[in-house]
Structures are given as C-alpha cells and as structure tokens.
Amino acid sequence: MDASSGRPSGAALKTTRLLPIRTPRSAVAEWTTTHYSAEEELLNPTARLMEAIYIVVTVGLGTPVNLPVFSAGIAAQLARYPHFHSIQVTDGSKEPRWVRTAVNVDNHIIVPTLDPVAVVANPDRALEDYVASLPALPMDCSRPLWEFHFLDFPTSEAAATAVIRVHHSLGDGMSLITMLLASARSAADPTRLPAMPKPPARTGAIYEPRRRQQSSGSALAAFVTWIWPYLVLAWNTIVDVALFAATIVFLRDPPTLFRRAGDHVMSNPHRRFVHRSLSLGDVKLIKNAMNCTINDVLVGATSAALSRYYFRNSGSSKTNKLCLRSVLPVNTRPTTSLQAGTSIFQRMFANTTILFSNMVGPTEQIELCGHPIVFIAPSVYGGPQALVVHYQSYISTIKVILAVDDDVIPDYTQLLDDFTESFGHIKDAASKLSTSIINRE
C-alpha cells in the first residue's frame, strides 16, 4: 500500500500472475468537501450508468519517453477539457455532480517500477502483465478520474508505451479517442491535426436505390411486388424489438466457452488485454471482393475466429443450439431518465456474451506531446462480458484488441491467433473470388 495516497501499489496485488510493481505518490488530494468550486454540473444518466466501467488505451511510442515534455503536453492539451479537471461528488446533500478543481498533472502521471529481470527476459509479457494489473488498482476519487502510465522500455512493437486509463463517465470510447486525436498532431506537419479517412462514398450495388420494374402482370401482382420489401422490413423490425425485449426480461445466452455459468454473471477483476496488427489493405480487399462494408468484414472475421476457437476446444460440431450474441453500443440521443436506462443497460450486458466495437483512426502517423505514435489499442473493463472485441484502424493497419476474462478464456493468445488465421483464410478466398471475377470479365 502506498502510504502517501492510500491506494494499493502493484506489489501489493495478491496474485502470482502479475509482475510486482510500485507506483509511488506524494501528492495530497486535489479536492475535499470543505472547499470546492462553485462551478458544478449534474452527472448525466450515462455517466451514472458507467460507474464500474473504465477505458484503457495502450499507445505505442516511437521514441523513449521524455517525461517533462509529455507532462507539459498533457497539461496544455488534455487537462483543459472540462471533465478532465472535474471530480464526481456524491456527498448526499445534492444530486451526484461534477465539481471543477485544480489539476496537478504530476498526480496523474505514473511511472511504475517493474522487475528488471522480468522486463529484460520478456518485455512484451511485462507490459501485458502491467496492463492486466490495472483493474485491481482502484483510482483515487478525490482527483479527476484519468491517469497516464509510462513504461519506458522497448517492446517488439514500440520504443516505449503509454497506457491511458480513464473512467467511462468522462466520455465514451469514440469521444475519448476523438479527444486524444484532437490533442495530437500530424508527424509530417506538427502544425496541423491528423488526417482522418474521408467518409465512405456508399457506392455499389448494395447502396443503389431499387428501381421500380414495370410488371407485365395484373395490378395486384404489381402491388404485391411494391409492398413486399416494406412488409419484410416491418416483420424484421417486430422480430428485433421482440428479441430486444426478451433479452431484457429473460433471454440469456447459454454458458459457452466464452461465458461464465450461473444465474449472476459478474465482472472478474482479472483481465488480460492483448492485441494484434492486421493489414487494412487486406480488409479493404475483402470488402471490395464481397461488395460489403468494412464493418461486415470485421463481424464476419470475428465470427470465424470464435468458431475456430469454440470447435477446437469443445470438440463439438453441432451448431443448431449454439447462441452467442454481441452488443454494439451506439449513442443515438440524450437520455433523460436514469431509471428508464439502468435496468436495460445492466440486463442487456449481463444476458449477452460479447461486447464489440470498431473505431476509425488517422490515415497518417501522428505525434502526441512530441512523441510519434506507433499504434493505438483501446479497450475497456468493468463489464460482465468475459470477452470484449475492439478494432482500431491507424495508418495502413487495423488492430484487433481483446479484453478477456482469463478464468473463462485462459488460452487467450490462441484466440488471438484464431483472429489472425481467420483473416488470412478469408483474404485468400477473397483474392480467388476477385481473380475469378476479373477472368470472367
């Protein structure tokens, strides 16, 4: 336990799976109930729903860490956002709210001391073990809920690594990644913001409006031809709404290799965060060959990877009763009632198996606080799902990032290999399909 901050250090973690770490702190709390700013903002319902959820972004750096430069950059960029210099106050006298506070950036920068022998022996594993230790280390609620952890040693992918931990109430994954990119600059021209992909053109057969064909039959046949797509849409909508309601009330995915058994699915504090780089060009090749979207490709490859893992480890070939559903969170409108959303949120996540997300990144290399970025790997922890799948594009690659409950999926590296192999097989099939189409033409 770190006596200065009252928070457990890595060395205090009672587990043999993690490296011993020490995170010394010497700063006092940044806010107390006896003095706080008059600037207050009520917590919105979404922030209150995300009480146990944290976002972890592992950022590979192309150079060793220059701590003074990084600290100054954080103070000038990220710390200026309102929630990054606010804390959550729930003192019972008022509604839970944000209260503005002064920020000492040094209190939010952590440079852990790891076992040097373990770091030299396997730096990639040392990094993985450290990130896996974060869910067991509570954040200090008397300070704004964000941290930068710097691991200044080379790994197989980067010269150094920054691990950013942020409470989900500060924003969702998309808004936080956008804010991170807004604080970064183009490596080619530090005076401008990073270049992002252009919106998709939405061209191709799947996007072309249907043309009303002249019917040579009766007026009734023409009417049925016209109305049939609308009837199908209405039926699918009814089915989707019914399944959504059933999921909230009683419909639960059965126990599989990806899900804990039991009536109450609880979050395991032990989480492993692993990632692998894939070629964005290969993903686009598959998209063009299949005449679909990139998201379709990622969902299909994810299904293929999970199938490979399941059938290899279960020894089963029966799929007629296998149910495995994923949640893709989307924020479409502001929520006005917490009681309308809390139970829905909890039941939906507890009754499904996987959390899935896909985010778009810059098309060029960027710098953050003067440090070139090699890769970006966002993820989350705190939810009940044993498997969270994130995709993050950056330059010419796309990262697949897995956050796994290693009690449920102990061989998570093999699962990550299944993703790589599945993409490879789909790419080979798409290449043959493209060649066949070209030959026919």
Side-chain angles (χ1 to χ4, degrees), residues 78-95:
L78 290 175
R80 62 191 171 93
Y81 292 100
H83 287 177
F84 274 69
H85 57 85
S86 301
I87 63 170
Q88 296 183 20
V89 177
T90 54
D91 54 15
S93 61
K94 299 180 180 179
E95 290 289 325

Side-chain angles (χ1 to χ4, degrees), residues 33-47:
T33 56
T34 59
H35 61 285
Y36 60 89
S37 171
E39 297 183 42
E40 298 181 359
E41 173 192 351
L42 291 179
L43 262 70
N44 60 40
T46 302

Side-chain angles (χ1 to χ4, degrees), residues 28-182:
V28 297
E30 298 175 8
W31 180 90
T32 66
T33 56
T34 59
H35 61 285
Y36 60 89
S37 171
E39 297 183 42
E40 298 181 359
E41 173 192 351
L42 291 179
L43 262 70
N44 60 40
T46 302
R48 297 169 67 180
L49 289 175
M50 300 296 181
E51 181 179 0
I53 311 296
Y54 292 82
I55 296 173
V56 178
V57 185
T58 304
V59 180
L61 306 178
T63 60
V65 178
N66 186 327
L67 205 56
V69 171
F70 226 120
S71 178
I74 293 173
Q77 296 291 333
L78 290 175
R80 62 191 171 93
Y81 292 100
H83 287 177
F84 274 69
H85 57 85
S86 301
I87 63 170
Q88 296 183 20
V89 177
T90 54
D91 54 15
S93 61
K94 299 180 180 179
E95 290 289 325
R97 61 199 186 280
W98 294 105
V99 175
R100 299 291 175 86
T101 183
V103 174
N104 183 348
V105 173
D106 291 339
N107 294 343
H108 299 266
I109 292 180
I110 301 171
V111 182
T113 301
L114 305 184
D115 181 358
V117 176
V119 171
V120 172
N122 192 338
D124 288 350
R125 181 69 180 192
L127 172 61
E128 179 189 320
D129 286 344
Y130 180 77
V131 180
S133 73
L134 294 181
L137 299 176
M139 296 187 77
D140 187 349
C141 293
S142 68
R143 299 167 178 159
L145 298 176
W146 57 273
E147 299 171 339
F148 276 74
H149 301 249
F150 292 104
L151 295 95
D152 198 10
F153 56 84
T155 62
S156 61
E157 289 189 274
T161 307
V163 182
I164 308 169
R165 180 166 66 155
V166 180
H167 193 272
H168 209 304
S169 63
L170 273 68
D172 58 25
M174 179 60 71
S175 64
L176 290 174
I177 287 293
T178 301
M179 184 179 63
L180 181 68
L181 297 178

Side-chain angles (χ1 to χ4, degrees), residues 212-230:
R212 188 173 178 179
Q213 298 179 351
Q214 297 295 331
S215 175
S216 58
S218 64
L220 178 61
F223 176 75
V224 171
T225 301
W226 171 77
I227 201 172
W228 180 251
Y230 297 98

Side-chain angles (χ1 to χ4, degrees), residues 233-249 348:
L233 176 62
W235 171 252
N236 289 335
T237 301
I238 293 172
V239 170
D240 288 342
V241 171
L243 289 175
F244 179 78
T247 300
I248 296 171
V249 177
M348 176 62 67

Side-chain angles (χ1 to χ4, degrees), residues 216-417:
S216 58
S218 64
L220 178 61
F223 176 75
V224 171
T225 301
W226 171 77
I227 201 172
W228 180 251
Y230 297 98
L231 295 176
V232 172
L233 176 62
W235 171 252
N236 289 335
T237 301
I238 293 172
V239 170
D240 288 342
V241 171
L243 289 175
F244 179 78
T247 300
I248 296 171
V249 177
F250 67 89
L251 185 60
R252 177 183 297 132
D253 288 359
T256 62
L257 294 176
F258 307 103
R259 180 177 170 82
R260 286 181 175 273
D263 293 334
H264 301 286
V265 180
M266 302 299 292
S267 175
N268 183 358
H270 298 298
R271 289 277 164 165
R272 287 282 169 173
F273 304 90
V274 291
H275 50 84
R276 188 75 54 81
S277 293
L278 306 169
S279 170
L280 185 57
D282 289 347
V283 174
K284 292 180 178 180
L285 183 149
I286 298 170
K287 173 187 76 76
N288 295 332
M290 299 299 296
N291 194 22
C292 61
T293 66
I294 287 182
N295 210 53
D296 293 333
V297 176
L298 300 182
V299 171
T302 300
S303 177
L306 298 181
S307 297
R308 289 174 61 89
Y309 181 90
Y310 177 83
F311 292 120
R312 181 181 60 252
N313 287 277
S314 67
S316 172
S317 60
K318 298 180 180 179
T319 61
N320 57 328
K321 293 184 179 180
L322 182 61
C323 180
L324 188 154
R325 295 176 298 164
S326 172
V327 173
L328 178 61
V330 177
N331 183 18
T332 58
R333 59 175 62 89
T335 304
T336 58
S337 173
L338 179 65
Q339 291 74 23
T342 301
S343 59
I344 293 176
F345 176 87
Q346 293 175 345
R347 298 285 293 182
M348 176 62 67
F349 278 77
N351 288 345
T352 53
T353 302
I354 299 173
L355 182 66
F356 182 92
S357 177
N358 172 31
M359 292 186 288
V360 178
T363 57
E364 61 175 344
Q365 187 172 32
I366 63 174
E367 292 182 348
L368 181 63
C369 303
H371 293 68
I373 302 302
V374 177
F375 68 83
I376 306 170
S379 192
V380 299
Y381 71 83
Q385 281 105 342
L387 175 62
V388 178
V389 180
H390 277 83
Y391 288 97
Q392 174 71 57
S393 67
Y394 178 51
I395 315 178
S396 60
T397 64
I398 186 165
K399 276 279 187 187
V400 52
I401 308 106
L402 307 182
V404 301
D405 180 337
D406 54 358
D407 287 343
V408 179
I409 309 175
D411 51 346
Y412 52 88
T413 55
Q414 180 60 62
L415 176 59
L416 194 59
D417 291 338

